[in-house]
Structure formats: structure tokens, C-alpha cells
Amino acid sequence: MATFVLVPGAWKGAWSFEAVVPLLERAGHAVHALTLTGLGPDDEATVATANLDTHAGDVLRHLDRHRLTGVTLVGHSYAGMVIAAAADRAGGRIARLVHLDAYVPRDGESCWSATNAHFREVFATGAAATGFTVRPPDGGDPRRRPHPLASFLQAVRLTGAVDHVPRREFVHCSGWADRTPFTELRTRLLADPGWRVHDLPTGHDAMHEAPEAVAALLLAD
């Protein structure tokens, strides 16, 4: 039995994996889907102060609370930053990292520095109202919440421990080529023997568009 910890991307909560969780559970695995600090419906007070370290700490506290080891840690989009930071500090408790159409940062990078001009405009426009939260882009799931701006801006600090996670994977969703910030990242990781790269012909929210395909990738040996 594997243990999956699923971390949602920007503006989202645990609900973003609602179609994938039962598929993993039916296959006999333990599944934990997280909602990061500031992204819950009652988190108005914490969203102003949450940053990338806060979110990495959310993952580490969950591992501690549930005494999890040998974990498959999955992060979507922004959460690629989070799972990299958490795995770097997890003391060998992560067996597998899956960056699901997600950032794979190097030490000193931030979500802001790693993304493209389209998403920098999304972040800047979305932060105009408060200066500390980024409202969700128009359209999309109404459950999305304002996201803490500091988490997009804070640089990740990595010791190199994350590079020793036994299995590291990147899933590239190719169905939004006009806006994706991950094309160059895919090329970089394809050339790195430490990474497995998968392609899905979906838009960015593969968990909703093709949950069976996402589950199949996660369940693959």
C-alpha cells in the first residue's frame, strides 16, 4: 500500500483532487489531500501572512501528525514549489515526488521568477485590490480562494536533499500550449537522468479533465 499526499495549486483546496482521491483509495492506497494555510473558507486572517515557508510547513506538520513515511508527494502547479521545499526538509520521508504540471524550482527561485509573463500579469492584476492576496482569475471553480501573494514571491531555499528523493517525476500537460509556463522546464527535465517526464494531452487542471489518466500515472510502477 502506498501513501499519497496531494497538494493543490494556487487558489485551490483539497477539493481540487476530489475526482482522483477515490480512484487511488479504490486501488487500496492511503490518500491525504491538503488545503494549505490561507486557502480555507475561514482563513481570512492567515492569508495575509502565509508564504512559501508556511505552506511547506503545512506539509511537514501533516507528515508529523500522521507519522507518514515512504510518501508519494504530489503537487499541482504552484504546489511544485511547496513539495520541493517540503521534501528538502522532510528527512528522507519522501519516496517519490510528482510535479503535476508544476514548477520544479532550483535553489533561490520563486514562483514569480520561474513563471512566464502571462502569470506575472495574473499575479500583479490579482493583487491590486489588497496588495497581499491574489484574487483568482475570472472563470473557473467558484470554490477558489484569494491566494497569499507572499507565497508567489518568496524564494525557495533548497539544501540539495530534495535531489536524493528516490523517484522524481514531472507531468507535462500539453493542452494549453498558448499559456503554459512549463515548456522549457519539460525540456530541462527530459535531459536530466534523475527525472521521469510524462505527457498528458490535457489542459492545466488535469485532475478535473482526466482524473483516470492522472490516477493511472500515480499508480504506475
Side-chain angles (χ1 to χ4, degrees):
M1 181 184 79
T3 299
F4 293 91
V5 175
L6 312 178
V7 187
W11 303 291
K12 298 176 180 177
W15 54 264
S16 68
F17 291 100
E18 61 194 358
V20 173
V21 168
L23 300 176
L24 301 178
E25 290 179 334
R26 272 181 228 144
H29 303 296
V31 187
H32 304 250
L34 306 189
T35 295
L36 298 172
T37 296
L39 279 300
D42 301 317
D43 280 350
E44 284 81 0
T46 57
V47 68
T49 57
N51 59 21
L52 179 57
D53 283 339
T54 308
H55 290 163
D58 290 339
V59 175
L60 294 171
R61 282 187 295 274
H62 191 85
L63 299 182
D64 291 342
R65 188 179 311 121
H66 296 276
R67 300 181 181 180
L68 302 180
T69 59
V71 169
T72 294
L73 185 57
V74 181
H76 178 243
S77 195
Y78 156 74
M81 306 292 300
V82 177
I83 66 170
D88 196 69
R89 305 168 195 175
R93 288 176 287 175
I94 308 303
R96 180 185 177 198
L97 280 176
V98 181
H99 290 251
L100 179 56
D101 215 36
Y103 299 95
V104 179
R106 292 177 277 210
D107 181 51
E109 290 184 329
S110 65
C111 188
W112 176 273
S113 69
T115 199
N116 58 15
H118 169 77
F119 279 100
R120 288 191 196 104
E121 177 64 23
V122 169
F123 297 162
T125 301
T130 67
F132 59 85
T133 62
V134 180
R135 65 173 173 77
D138 294 336
D141 197 297
R143 291 173 290 181
R144 293 176 306 160
R145 306 282 303 171
H147 192 95
L149 176 62
S151 70
F152 291 146
L153 301 180
Q154 185 182 18
V156 69
R157 295 303 175 196
L158 302 173
T159 68
V162 65
D163 298 329
H164 298 291
V165 172
R167 182 171 168 182
R168 290 172 289 151
E169 300 174 55
F170 174 72
V171 181
H172 181 251
C173 296
S174 60
W176 62 309
D178 58 328
R179 289 169 293 134
T180 181
F182 302 126
T183 302
E184 292 182 8
L185 175 60
R186 177 183 179 275
T187 301
R188 178 185 117 201
L189 296 179
L190 276 172
D192 187 333
W195 284 85
R196 301 184 191 185
V197 175
H198 311 279
D199 291 292
L200 281 180
T202 69
H204 186 44
D205 287 331
M207 309 91 66
H208 293 141
E209 293 185 34
E212 294 85 1
V214 171
L217 276 174
L218 296 180
L219 294 170
D221 293 331

